[in-house]
Amino acid sequence: MQILSVKFRAKNFMLKSRLKRKAMKILKAKYLLLCDENFKILKDAAVVFSDKIKEICDFKLACKKYPNAQILDFGGDIAMPAFINPHVHLE
């Protein structure tokens, strides 16, 4: 009986952590610098994502569309949602 209980708890933990990883998040920043063809700068906008970016929109709209999302509020900061740091350390 104890072995079944441990297996069930381990499986339940793995399922919860998988769901947590895929949970929707809303990143809010004072400015978003988009790496699109016009290099737009959006003020008081949000990036909605889980594994990948789902949407970039107004923060209030994002909160309405995704009410259960975790909010990551970076206040007066600048975010670059498409920025990738492709550097390598050669040692």
Side-chain angles (χ1 to χ4, degrees):
M1 193 65 155
Q2 185 63 27
I3 294 171
L4 287 175
S5 177
V6 170
K7 281 184 179 179
F8 177 76
R9 277 189 257 146
K11 192 173 185 179
N12 195 21
F13 174 77
M14 289 172 59
L15 179 62
K16 282 182 182 177
S17 59
R18 214 179 291 142
L19 289 173
K20 198 179 274 187
R21 272 193 309 243
K22 292 189 177 192
M24 197 66 69
K25 294 177 181 71
I26 299 173
L27 183 145
K28 177 188 181 224
K30 186 67 175 177
Y31 296 100
L32 289 181
L33 306 181
L34 303 186
C35 294
D36 63 1
E37 60 277 351
N38 299 319
F39 294 100
K40 290 180 196 162
I41 300 173
L42 304 177
K43 187 175 180 185
D44 297 320
V47 179
V48 181
F49 67 98
S50 57
D51 293 345
K52 296 179 182 178
I53 294 175
K54 301 284 185 194
E55 184 174 3
I56 296 176
C57 61
D58 180 68
F59 176 68
K60 290 179 184 177
L61 177 65
C63 290
K64 284 181 185 177
K65 284 179 80 172
Y66 306 95
N68 297 323
Q70 176 186 1
I71 296 175
L72 308 170
D73 189 349
F74 289 93
D77 292 341
I78 298 170
M80 294 177 66
F83 180 73
I84 299 171
N85 187 359
H87 74 283
V88 176
H89 292 266
L90 299 174
E91 297 181 29

